Amino acid sequence: MKYDYEKVEVPAEGQPIEVIDEDADELDIPETPIVPIIHGDGIGKDVGPAAQKVLTAAAQATGHDIAWMRVYAGESGREHYDENLPDDTVNAIDEFRVAIKGPLTTPVGAGFRSLNVALRQTLDFYANVRPTYYLDGVPSPMKAPEEMDMVTFRENTEDVYAGIEWEEGTEDVERVREFVEEEMGFDETMHDGPIGIGIKPITEFGSKRLVRKAIDYALEHDRDKVTLVHKGNIMKFTEGQFGEWGMEVADEEYPDDEVFAAPDSLWETQDEVDIPEDAVMVEERLADAMLQWMQLRTDEFDVLAMPNLNGDYLSDAAGAQIGGLGIAPGANFGDARVLAEPVHGSAPKRAGQDMANPTAMILSGRLMFDYMGWDDAADLVRDAVEETISSGKVTYDLERQLEGAEKLGTTEYAEEIVTKIEDLS
Ligand code: NAD
């Protein structure tokens, strides 16, 4: 064991997941892996246990099992340890490599870093990954929501989210202004008076490892295309550079018949380009146009790789097209490690009422299974969720949008999915 745990027990019936090759994302998954789980704050208390039940059923129905290791953060962290993010929790997620968490409330007040951001940074989960696909029966604002089947890879560590910024009225912000104006010669575009300044770092290391992850995912999952989405026409040396480094990865690190870097894809139509059969095409698109195309030409997109801010906006917009927050799953990928988590937050108003929709957390678990190579369990989860929803048995958020649907509580809905898992296996 890498760590001593102060207040949580490592389940005796499970085995740790071992790393075979960190750079190649290769893990050795034992028969009954130990998987840390944080149920989460607010509705996490409802959706966490519900998801755990469904995921256990799917694992067992496909010849596996899971030794869950309950760990604590946020409110439960404060209850057990008097800390928001105890070392036991961070250590367990580090040591056991594959973990899942529910939403955590960011405490309001100066000096509180988002717990989610802290976890991602401490363990270097540098890619936020969201598969966005339509589930039969889910109400959507789109005419053809089933055309959406995309996976977004959002860079998770840099860009304007790096937190390098200065508040108006401080001595520091004035020093930075002075440096930019006087030493760097940018005075003409800065108005006089109070100012806030932030820095947007985009590194070769950060960009390339994100794009590499997206390309490797596309190759492993038989996807046709990786689209690098940026705003390089305006922010040439940050966003534009992300695109250039990304295309370099595609061009230099993979054989052409496996990965094809489409030349000049930002400005020219690719209709004429001769793409090797079966190769993953890597192209660039501008972020503003992309938000439009995602709605107008939904079926043309496959895997998307983006800097942090674009990824934030775009993945939420994509999620809305297929039915919104209650069903949108996600995961944070690092090297040979994954932390699955639903996209939604802790929705405090609905907390503890056994009414929230656990689908997003259940489907985040599906992504975790996929990462572990448990394809059969992953498929079973998706099929059982889809059958339950299309039979009209749903939680309140979907019920109010679906004529003739039956409203179930969180627990009942999860039990319904477990029954479907048993029927399907
Ligand atoms: P939220 O996602 O909690 O809620 C937004 C809306 O969606 C609410 O109307 C809510 O009722 C609804 N909703 C969300 N999930 C639902 C579900 N599973 N079933 C049914 N309805 C659902 O976003 P918010 O209100 O902006 O944030 C609340 C708290 O969550 C904040 O403290 C925020 O920091 C935190 N948060 C955490 C995460 C995370 O842990 N990854 C993500 C986002 C927000």
Side-chain angles (χ1 to χ4, degrees), residues 134-249:
Y134 182 66
L135 290 171
D136 225 13
V138 173
S140 153
M142 306 306 285
K143 279 190 193 145
E146 68 285 353
E147 284 184 3
M148 168 92 54
D149 184 7
M150 266 178 18
V151 184
T152 56
F153 279 70
R154 165 186 170 192
E155 204 290 324
N156 231 350
T157 64
E158 41 187 47
D159 200 347
V160 282
Y161 287 61
I164 311 174
E165 52 180 15
W166 297 273
E167 197 178 355
E168 68 89 15
T170 59
E171 214 175 286
D172 282 349
V173 81
E174 290 308 327
R175 282 174 63 200
V176 177
R177 183 201 321 242
E178 195 180 303
F179 172 74
V180 174
E181 287 184 351
E182 288 176 18
E183 293 201 32
M184 306 308 288
F186 281 103
D187 56 319
E188 276 161 35
T189 48
M190 292 222 221
H191 299 292
D192 289 340
I195 188 171
I197 301 180
I199 290 217
K200 178 181 174 76
I202 300 269
T203 65
E204 178 178 18
F205 175 77
S207 304
K208 286 193 166 176
R209 68 175 178 170
L210 187 269
V211 172
R212 207 173 285 129
K213 237 338 158 241
I215 293 176
D216 289 344
Y217 181 93
L219 286 167
E220 262 166 45
H221 291 80
D222 285 328
R223 296 283 185 157
D224 296 330
K225 189 157 86 169
V226 175
T227 305
L228 311 180
V229 185
H230 58 78
K231 194 67 187 138
N233 56 334
I234 304 296
M235 291 169 270
K236 293 189 173 54
F237 307 134
T238 50
E239 297 266 326
Q241 191 61 59
F242 170 88
E244 276 186 38
W245 280 323
M247 293 308 275
E248 262 174 45
V249 171

Side-chain angles (χ1 to χ4, degrees), residues 10 31 40 56 58 75 123 127 141-142 158 194 273 300 311 373 386 396:
V10 177
E31 210 160 283
T56 305
E75 198 184 313
L123 296 174
M142 306 306 285
E158 41 187 47
V273 178
E300 284 184 22
E386 195 159 38
Y396 83 98

Side-chain angles (χ1 to χ4, degrees), residues 382-400:
R382 178 185 168 143
D383 292 347
V385 168
E386 195 159 38
E387 283 207 8
T388 306
I389 295 175
S390 51
S391 74
K393 293 184 172 171
V394 290
T395 43
Y396 83 98
D397 50 322
L398 299 191
E399 187 264 345
R400 63 188 175 189

Side-chain angles (χ1 to χ4, degrees), residues 40-44 47 101-108 114-117 120 128 130 324-328 332 341-351 355-361 395-398 400 410:
D41 292 333
I43 56 167
V47 302
K101 67 174 274 292
L104 295 173
T105 301
T106 301
V108 182
S114 152
L115 297 178
N116 301 297
V117 174
R120 286 175 204 158
N128 182 259
R130 294 193 195 172
L325 277 180
I327 60 156
N332 301 289
E341 61 170 336
V343 169
H344 63 72
S346 54
K349 267 206 296 200
R350 309 289 182 188
M355 68 188 293
N357 188 349
T359 306
M361 183 138 174
T395 43
Y396 83 98
D397 50 322
L398 299 191
R400 63 188 175 189
T410 314

